[in-house]
Amino acid sequence: MTKKLLSDITIDHIRSMIEKDKRVDGRTREEFRPIKIQKNYVATAEGSALVTLGDTKLLVGVKCLVGEPYKDTPNSGVLTTNAELIPMANETFESGPPNERSIEVARVVDRGIREGQAIDFDKLCITPEEEVWKTFVDIHVLDYDGNLFDAANMGAVAALKSAIIPASRFDKGEDFPFPMKHMPISTTFVKLDGYLVVDPNYDEENVARSRLTIATLENGRLCAMQKGLGGSFSRADVEKAIELSLRFGNLIRDQIESAGE
Amino acid sequence: MKEESSSKNASESASKRALVLPGDLIADGEYKPGTGTYAEEGKIFASQLGILNIRSNFINVIPLAGQFVPIVGDQVIGMVIEITPSNWLVDINSPYPAPLHITEAPWKVEFGDTARYLNVGEVILARILMVDEVKHIQVTMKDRGLRTLRGGQVIEISYSKVPRVIGRNGSMIQMIKNYTECRIIVGQNGRIWLDGETESIDLAVRAILMIEEDAQAIGLTDRLREFLEDATRKRG
Amino acid sequence: MGGTPTDIQLLDANGLRLDGRRPDELRPITIKADALKRADGSAYLEWGGNKVLAAVYGPRECHPRHRQDPMKAVVQCKYNMASFSVSDRKRPGPDRRSQEISKIISEALEHVVLTQYFPRTSVDVFIEVLQADAGTRCAGLTAASVALADAGVPMRDMIASCAAGKIDDTIIIDLRKEEDNCGQADLPLGIIPRTGEIVLLQMDGDLSIEEFYTALTMATEACHKISALQKEALRKRYSVAPEEVSDEVEEAIDAIAHGEEVDEPEEHDEKQEES
């Protein structure tokens, strides 16, 4: 997947604005773009959410079916996370099987949910050692202007929150709400010209030297981290990032809770 | 549907500056097909979404969207995307990349020495030298004023909005230049280069995007003037 | 398909369908042009229980290179269903059905796009079904046509598409899921509304020749109604009442149409290029 080539003029301009704590869309370095979340967007999914983060738009769908548990966790449900960076979302996205970028996003979102103990997997057990609920979280990027990680994470959490296990359809009893215990929320930063910049848009991502995603929980604990691209972060950067992640985590969590259909 | 379009007579819709869509019948024999149209069975139809326009004997549709295809003489702002020993490949925001040959550069360039004068990612002001029947395009930098652009910012808008951004006799772009004190060069290909203080560039960009968003609306000039007045007053 | 015997009454005593529609009635359709920011053109369509997104990039440089045509643009359409768009999750990635649909839609669109104006390029059309309820290929083609117009791709007309079918020996149009699964025939159709030319036609099931002609006529009428909705969606997004176009804009439009330079005086700098 090709990276967009930006002119040296645009790169310099982005950098000189960042130094003045301004960004091309008018934000400061520590501001998120406007977020809009709509739950239950797709009736054919067990749960779903349409997320708009600035000009990035994606749709997450949750599907559940009955299957066999993994041998090493015979009484737990199974979660599979998948991301599709479909070509319509950006001129640099190519058709084909998941590439390393979509795999990374899927795994980071998955990790946040799994390590954050977000799901009560025991409640997803139907018959121990035989039948469990298998949950598929499918992230479908529709329009891409940066920050895949946070948009996908918000979408996944909102979709799971709105999901109903279709037990009656499979003759496994009554339908019940998807068992979510926590809401892990991620915040992504890039290092631009030595500065920490939150929620990068597409151009900023292309100019940035390195990227850091931190997922936090309601109780103020960390549950996942991922550094990406080349470059590096100082310890002070990481401390700042953690502080901001906790703050944004709470704000975004509230938005997901109050999101309507 | 078919009944509706054919009952609307051509001169009626033409005089109304109507929005036309692909497939709309716009003329029935009196005119010659211009841009954004095609002819079939002696009639002329719109091929693109746009505004109807009649000029001498031609009926045209001025498209509201579409890819930029240059004509000879167009001034364009391009970005170098590839270098070879004898030319630079320039992206001009068109489906067709445009090579700049070393003989069309403003410097005396030896074969193989191209990277010394212009590199990948650099931005140039150039003119369209040639466009052949199968849309092979070439650019030149040999005219007066054509050069490498440095500093400032480059933005991209839909090429079809360029006339609106420039305005009648350049009045619109001049207004923006006056209020922001920026140097601004508008390429026919929808790329615009601005230079000045960072805040001024920011203001000019927002003004231009306002025009692009609302190109057809009435009172746009006044609203834009108000916006610029307001912003410059705030800056003090 | 195949008319599997079923307990479902597809047509009631009054000749009304499951959702109360008459045989010639369309499901509710809403179309929104310019639905995405990044793509050159786009459209979002809701048709009964279908939610379909279409996007266009191009004309642009043709990839893969070997598909390039030196004389014209190639139209490449990719139709895909999201894994959560159907009741039983669909594995992501193209399956044979999606590939077939992509091909027939590409071929239909190739017939209306004025490809000769853009040699060596491709017009890339993407159709994504987010929620499915039968008739997705017709919905996709209808949305793709609006997206192409939104992108300013030169075309002869926008293709309108709708399916006809047969349930309980009655010809109907616009089948919903149950009618598609349990009916006796399915006939997706795509036409060029201006001329009536047929650019997409498939059929499976059991029809007499007379029934086929009835179905064709009914589907064609439905396509004309859909064509009106396509145009309405674009007008809604782009229209300015003719009286509202200001003098200034008129002048600018006139000048560009005439090929005049609407340039401001050239920018000249004393510091010319340094080598």
Side-chain angles (χ1 to χ4, degrees):
Chain A
M1 186 188 51
T2 47
K3 214 169 119 149
K4 181 184 175 185
L5 181 64
L6 290 172
S7 69
D8 54 1
I9 288 182
T10 301
I11 294 173
D12 288 340
H13 183 76
I14 290 176
R15 286 207 181 118
S16 69
M17 288 198 75
I18 290 283
E19 253 169 65
K20 302 188 164 77
D21 200 14
K22 272 204 86 175
R23 295 152 81 171
V24 170
D25 57 9
R27 289 186 283 159
T28 63
R29 294 191 293 257
E30 293 176 8
E31 257 183 276
F32 248 88
R33 287 169 291 177
I35 298 170
K36 185 160 171 240
I37 302 174
Q38 271 173 271
K39 289 181 189 153
N40 283 320
Y41 194 75
V42 169
T44 45
E46 271 67 83
S48 57
L50 180 71
V51 173
T52 310
L53 170 61
D55 285 345
T56 292
K57 205 193 274 281
L58 55 78
L59 183 54
V60 182
V62 171
K63 295 291 295 172
C64 300
L65 48 91
V66 177
E68 272 179 32
Y70 288 135
K71 292 259 166 23
D72 52 349
T73 51
N75 306 321
S76 292
V78 170
L79 172 77
T80 307
T81 312
N82 182 53
E84 297 280 315
L85 272 49
I86 62 180
M88 73 160 62
N90 191 284
E91 61 273 14
T92 60
F93 288 0
E94 283 161 6
S95 280
N99 59 18
E100 55 184 25
R101 197 164 170 189
S102 56
I103 291 172
E104 191 188 12
V105 162
R107 287 176 63 86
V108 170
V109 168
D110 184 283
R111 207 172 295 141
I113 293 171
R114 211 181 286 276
E115 304 312 319
Q117 311 288 332
I119 299 177
D120 195 341
F121 281 105
D122 294 337
K123 295 222 170 81
L124 293 175
C125 178
I126 304 170
T127 313
E129 289 172 36
E130 279 178 31
E131 279 187 334
V132 297
W133 287 106
K134 293 177 80 120
T135 305
F136 292 89
V137 173
D138 288 305
I139 299 159
H140 224 69
V141 182
L142 304 173
D143 208 354
Y144 187 58
D145 187 23
N147 201 359
L148 200 44
F149 290 89
D150 294 351
N153 164 264
M154 277 180 230
V157 171
L160 285 167
K161 268 257 163 202
S162 70
I164 308 274
I165 307 276
S168 57
R169 196 183 344 134
F170 292 83
D171 281 324
K172 303 287 175 196
E174 269 183 37
D175 292 351
F176 62 99
F178 196 90
M180 283 288 274
K181 286 194 298 190
H182 299 295
M183 286 171 60
I185 302 294
S186 74
T187 304
T188 296
F189 305 84
V190 290
K191 193 89 177 278
L192 252 179
D193 214 37
Y195 295 94
L196 203 63
V197 174
V198 87
D199 183 25
N201 67 19
Y202 183 66
D203 283 350
E204 290 167 343
E205 268 178 8
N206 279 295
V207 177
R209 294 222 168 282
S210 39
R211 186 192 64 227
L212 181 62
T213 300
I214 299 179
T216 57
L217 295 170
E218 307 89 330
N219 55 17
R221 295 175 77 79
L222 307 169
C223 57
M225 279 192 183
Q226 182 92 341
K227 179 208 165 279
L229 305 178
S232 65
F233 290 92
S234 68
R235 181 168 164 145
D237 288 333
V238 178
E239 286 173 9
K240 183 86 186 285
I242 290 176
E243 186 199 311
L244 288 167
S245 296
L246 288 165
R247 193 187 342 141
F248 284 120
N250 288 329
L251 289 171
I252 294 171
R253 217 167 273 120
D254 287 341
Q255 264 208 273
I256 294 177
E257 291 278 25
S258 59
E261 317 224 328
Chain B
M1 263 80 322
K2 287 202 287 206
E3 276 63 57
E4 276 183 305
S5 339
S6 42
S7 69
K8 191 204 298 192
N9 87 53
S11 49
E12 193 189 299
S13 49
S15 66
K16 275 182 176 177
R17 291 272 187 244
L19 179 78
V20 291
L21 303 171
D24 282 355
L25 173 71
I26 55 180
D28 207 334
E30 316 113 77
Y31 298 99
K32 290 195 270 194
T35 62
T37 70
Y38 70 97
E40 223 173 82
E41 297 156 4
K43 302 195 178 116
I44 301 176
F45 303 91
S47 65
Q48 288 176 281
L49 166 77
I51 311 271
L52 212 50
N53 168 268
I54 300 193
R55 194 71 179 192
S56 47
N57 217 23
F58 285 85
I59 189 163
N60 304 292
V61 173
I62 310 306
L64 290 179
Q67 295 298 319
F68 171 70
V69 180
I71 55 176
V72 174
D74 275 347
Q75 177 182 269
V76 293
I77 293 175
M79 178 171 77
V80 177
I81 53 176
E82 236 181 85
I83 310 179
T84 78
S86 63
N87 63 25
W88 299 268
L89 199 60
V90 183
D91 166 79
I92 55 167
N93 193 23
S94 176
Y96 302 99
L100 169 71
H101 197 261
I102 47 180
T103 52
E104 293 298 333
W107 324 281
K108 191 167 173 345
V109 185
E110 300 281 329
F111 181 88
D113 215 9
T114 39
R116 184 138 69 95
Y117 297 89
L118 256 190
N119 251 304
V120 170
E122 288 197 75
V123 179
I124 60 171
L125 183 61
R127 215 171 257 287
I128 303 295
L129 179 66
M130 184 210 78
V131 182
D132 73 10
E133 325 74 53
V134 277
K135 309 257 182 0
H136 288 118
I137 301 175
Q138 279 182 45
V139 288
T140 181
M141 281 177 74
K142 272 200 134 111
D143 289 348
R144 262 193 84 193
L146 301 179
R147 60 195 190 277
T148 307
L149 295 170
R150 301 197 193 286
Q153 164 67 315
V154 174
I155 63 168
E156 231 171 68
I157 61 168
S158 168
Y159 87 95
S160 58
K161 304 287 167 67
V162 163
R164 191 72 186 100
V165 167
I166 294 174
R168 190 186 355 180
N169 296 321
S171 55
M172 205 65 140
I173 198 71
Q174 196 56 53
M175 173 165 69
I176 300 177
K177 281 181 189 174
N178 292 342
Y179 276 98
T180 62
E181 294 177 347
C182 280
R183 286 187 300 158
I184 305 180
I185 301 182
V186 182
Q188 294 294 116
N189 58 343
R191 287 218 182 108
I192 302 174
W193 178 76
L194 311 95
D195 197 14
E197 306 220 352
T198 316
E199 294 78 26
S200 308
I201 293 179
D202 187 49
L203 180 60
V205 168
R206 280 193 283 148
I208 292 170
L209 294 178
M210 251 181 87
I211 302 173
E212 192 201 13
E213 180 71 36
D214 238 345
Q216 289 152 255
I218 32 160
L220 177 62
T221 315
D222 294 326
R223 261 189 295 127
L224 195 69
R225 189 176 297 119
E226 235 180 88
F227 166 75
L228 290 164
E229 284 247 10
D230 222 30
T232 32
R233 208 183 321 126
K234 284 200 185 112
R235 277 167 47 186
Chain C
M1 193 64 327
T4 31
T6 167
D7 300 339
I8 306 178
Q9 262 289 108
L10 291 172
L11 276 183
D12 70 11
N14 297 318
L16 295 180
R17 295 148 75 171
L18 283 171
D19 49 14
R21 281 188 288 156
R22 289 185 324 270
D24 65 349
E25 238 181 293
L26 284 166
R27 289 174 286 179
I29 302 175
T30 53
I31 307 179
K32 181 164 175 268
D34 197 24
L36 298 172
K37 292 266 157 78
R38 205 84 197 175
D40 293 328
S42 58
Y44 174 67
L45 179 150
E46 289 188 0
W47 184 334
N50 290 305
K51 287 187 167 156
V52 176
L53 194 51
V56 170
Y57 282 95
R60 59 179 180 176
E61 236 182 313
C62 183
H63 289 296
R65 267 349 254 312
H66 63 82
R67 292 260 210 127
Q68 240 183 53
D69 187 320
M71 302 305 290
K72 58 185 172 72
V74 299
V75 179
Q76 304 186 109
C77 173
K78 189 158 177 292
Y79 161 102
N80 185 54
M81 294 185 80
S83 43
F84 44 74
S85 64
V86 282
S87 226
D88 292 326
R89 180 179 181 263
K90 176 190 167 290
R91 278 187 59 186
D95 57 12
R96 288 156 66 86
R97 176 182 169 273
S98 306
Q99 289 177 314
E100 185 198 0
I101 294 176
S102 301
K103 179 172 189 287
I104 62 172
I105 293 182
S106 298
E107 287 162 356
L109 293 172
E110 188 121 18
H111 196 68
V112 286
V113 171
L114 296 170
T115 53
Q116 67 272 30
Y117 294 157
F118 290 96
R120 304 188 310 285
T121 66
S122 72
V123 176
D124 295 320
V125 181
F126 301 102
I127 296 170
E128 206 69 25
V129 179
L130 306 175
Q131 185 178 296
D133 187 18
T136 58
R137 77 193 66 190
C138 296
L141 177 50
T142 299
S145 299
V146 176
L148 283 165
D150 186 54
V153 175
M155 299 190 282
R156 292 173 55 221
D157 198 354
M158 288 188 284
I159 298 175
S161 177
C162 185
K166 185 170 95 170
I167 54 169
D168 290 355
D169 298 327
T170 310
I171 303 294
I172 57 168
I173 53 133
D174 191 17
L175 288 69
R176 53 182 277 158
K177 199 156 67 161
E178 297 83 354
E179 295 166 333
D180 194 15
N181 292 338
C182 311
Q184 299 163 294
D186 180 26
L187 199 147
L189 175 76
I191 63 163
I192 297 180
R194 215 201 85 215
T195 61
E197 285 163 82
I198 297 170
V199 288
L200 184 142
L201 178 64
Q202 292 181 293
M203 181 248 154
D204 73 82
D206 169 53
L207 288 175
S208 73
I209 296 186
E210 258 183 62
E211 284 174 329
F212 168 75
Y213 285 125
T214 307
L216 189 61
T217 306
M218 285 175 72
T220 303
E221 268 174 48
C223 285
H224 283 296
K225 292 188 184 144
I226 288 160
S227 175
L229 293 172
Q230 290 172 308
K231 293 188 189 246
E232 200 187 298
L234 286 161
R235 285 187 201 286
K236 195 159 161 200
R237 171 66 187 85
Y238 291 105
S239 243
V240 152
E243 319 80 61
E244 281 187 15
V245 176
S246 68
D247 288 334
E248 250 185 273
V249 180
E250 292 231 358
E251 292 254 358
I253 289 174
D254 273 342
I256 205 74
H258 194 57
E260 274 166 27
E261 289 266 319
V262 193
D263 260 343
E264 80 275 34
E266 272 255 12
E267 261 274 349
H268 289 308
D269 232 10
E270 303 89 58
K271 72 166 199 282
Q272 280 298 330
E273 186 45 52
E274 289 113 355
S275 337

